[in-house]
Amino acid sequence: MERFSRIIQVIGDADFEKLQKARVAIFGLGAVGALAAEVLARSGVGNFTLVDFDMIARTNINRHICAAESTIGIAKVEAVKARILDINPKAEVSALKMFADDTTLGEILSDNPDIVIDAIDSVGPKSELLAQAYKKGIKVISSMGAALKTDLTAIKTGDLFDTQICPLAKNMRKYLRGRGVGRGIECVYSTEFPDNKALKAPVEEDTDDPQYKRGRVRNILGSYPPVTAIFGITLADMAIKKLIK
């Protein structure tokens, strides 16, 4: 247990054992979700389910913990799985390269993870995940919009229905109210107004996977690495605190 001796020194053996036994499902392995997985693995979480359909592209290199020349074209779930196992070879990691939607979520959530981390950036799948987890009584922590933000001091945590300014959070509240979902979903969000000057029109992504084209065409959102990193670290911290509470 030498690799985890320093965190055991801080939280104690009993709480560390809770992390070892915990089962965490992470949906969305972009910059935010991947860094959350990194911190959870280094904290001793022993069981992961990773869900994402995307591949690592060169445009991910500025912010994704696993993105480098050597990993371009690799599925994000496989890259994050390899990193987790390099940190802790005894971890159990299920890597699911699939879309999270109404046709797949029931099966993915059927084993009732101890906690769900939502780092999906598409409104439809994100709202479906939050609604299903909420109705199943599964603890869930969600990331709101980190793109187009640069102010680290504006990053906050709280109930989704208490958030302010964040456009993604506003959309989520609208969708979730229509699904009968209320308070009780914690999230990390920013009160900084997004810089829409950083928006760019859609272009072809540098991937050869034709299934990557699924979904509507969206504008490209600029990302500031310190913000996406803090979002991911905060999600992991919130999850750890819930798991050992």
Side-chain angles (χ1 to χ4, degrees), residues 146-150 167 192-200 220-222:
L148 308 178
K149 312 289 178 64
T150 60
E192 178 184 4
F193 286 97
D195 180 8
N196 290 322
K197 296 191 300 294
L199 280 171
K200 287 191 176 181
I220 297 170
L221 304 178

Side-chain angles (χ1 to χ4, degrees), residues 154-228:
I155 298 173
K156 312 292 183 184
T157 63
D159 193 284
L160 174 58
F161 282 81
D162 292 333
T163 58
Q164 299 175 339
I165 297 174
C166 176
L168 179 57
K170 181 180 180 180
N171 283 334
M172 283 298 101
R173 290 194 297 273
K174 176 182 176 181
Y175 276 84
L176 292 172
R177 284 193 188 102
R179 298 288 302 274
V181 176
R183 297 177 60 84
I185 296 175
E186 292 189 41
C187 68
V188 54
Y189 66 102
S190 173
T191 57
E192 178 184 4
F193 286 97
D195 180 8
N196 290 322
K197 296 191 300 294
L199 280 171
K200 287 191 176 181
V203 296
E204 290 293 317
E205 294 285 348
D206 53 347
T207 177
D208 296 324
D209 193 330
Q211 296 185 77
Y212 185 74
K213 308 300 181 183
R214 175 173 167 169
R216 66 183 177 86
V217 176
R218 294 177 293 168
N219 288 331
I220 297 170
L221 304 178
S223 295
Y224 180 59
V227 168
T228 54

Side-chain angles (χ1 to χ4, degrees), residues 8-241:
I8 293 171
Q9 184 178 343
V10 174
I11 68 174
D13 291 306
D15 283 342
F16 180 73
E17 186 175 354
K18 293 178 184 178
L19 296 181
Q20 289 266 276
K21 294 178 178 179
R23 295 165 57 250
V24 177
I26 304 177
F27 290 79
L29 273 297
V32 173
L35 196 39
E38 171 93 3
V39 174
L40 290 172
R42 293 189 184 280
S43 299
V45 169
N47 303 273
F48 292 86
T49 298
L50 309 176
V51 186
D52 195 301
F53 192 83
D54 204 358
M55 317 287 282
I56 292 178
R58 282 190 176 84
T59 52
N60 301 135
I61 289 177
N62 83 305
R63 63 197 182 280
H64 197 289
I65 190 72
C66 297
E69 282 295 319
S70 60
T71 59
I72 291 170
I74 295 175
K76 288 178 179 176
V77 289
E78 294 297 339
V80 174
K81 176 180 179 178
R83 191 167 178 92
I84 290 172
L85 292 176
D86 206 17
I87 293 167
N88 179 15
K90 293 184 178 180
E92 296 289 334
V93 186
S94 175
L96 305 179
K97 185 176 181 291
M98 61 172 62
F99 283 102
D101 57 23
D102 57 353
T103 67
T104 59
L105 279 170
E107 180 180 354
I108 298 170
L109 295 174
S110 63
D111 60 353
N112 292 312
D114 295 304
I115 199 162
V116 163
I117 290 181
D118 157 44
I120 298 174
D121 60 5
S122 298
V123 171
K126 190 178 192 74
S127 59
E128 185 68 29
L129 170 61
L130 295 180
Q132 289 206 27
Y134 181 89
K135 292 179 178 181
K136 288 177 180 289
I138 299 172
K139 295 177 184 176
V140 58
I141 301 171
S142 182
S143 171
M144 294 296 114
L148 308 178
K149 312 289 178 64
T150 60
D151 185 0
L152 300 184
T153 66
I155 298 173
K156 312 292 183 184
T157 63
D159 193 284
L160 174 58
F161 282 81
D162 292 333
T163 58
Q164 299 175 339
I165 297 174
C166 176
L168 179 57
K170 181 180 180 180
N171 283 334
M172 283 298 101
R173 290 194 297 273
K174 176 182 176 181
Y175 276 84
L176 292 172
R177 284 193 188 102
R179 298 288 302 274
V181 176
R183 297 177 60 84
I185 296 175
E186 292 189 41
C187 68
V188 54
Y189 66 102
S190 173
T191 57
E192 178 184 4
F193 286 97
D195 180 8
N196 290 322
K197 296 191 300 294
L199 280 171
K200 287 191 176 181
V203 296
E204 290 293 317
E205 294 285 348
D206 53 347
T207 177
D208 296 324
D209 193 330
Q211 296 185 77
Y212 185 74
K213 308 300 181 183
R214 175 173 167 169
R216 66 183 177 86
V217 176
R218 294 177 293 168
N219 288 331
I220 297 170
L221 304 178
S223 295
Y224 180 59
V227 168
T228 54
I230 294 298
F231 265 62
I233 292 168
T234 303
L235 285 175
D237 174 64
M238 294 168 75
I240 290 168
K241 301 293 176 51

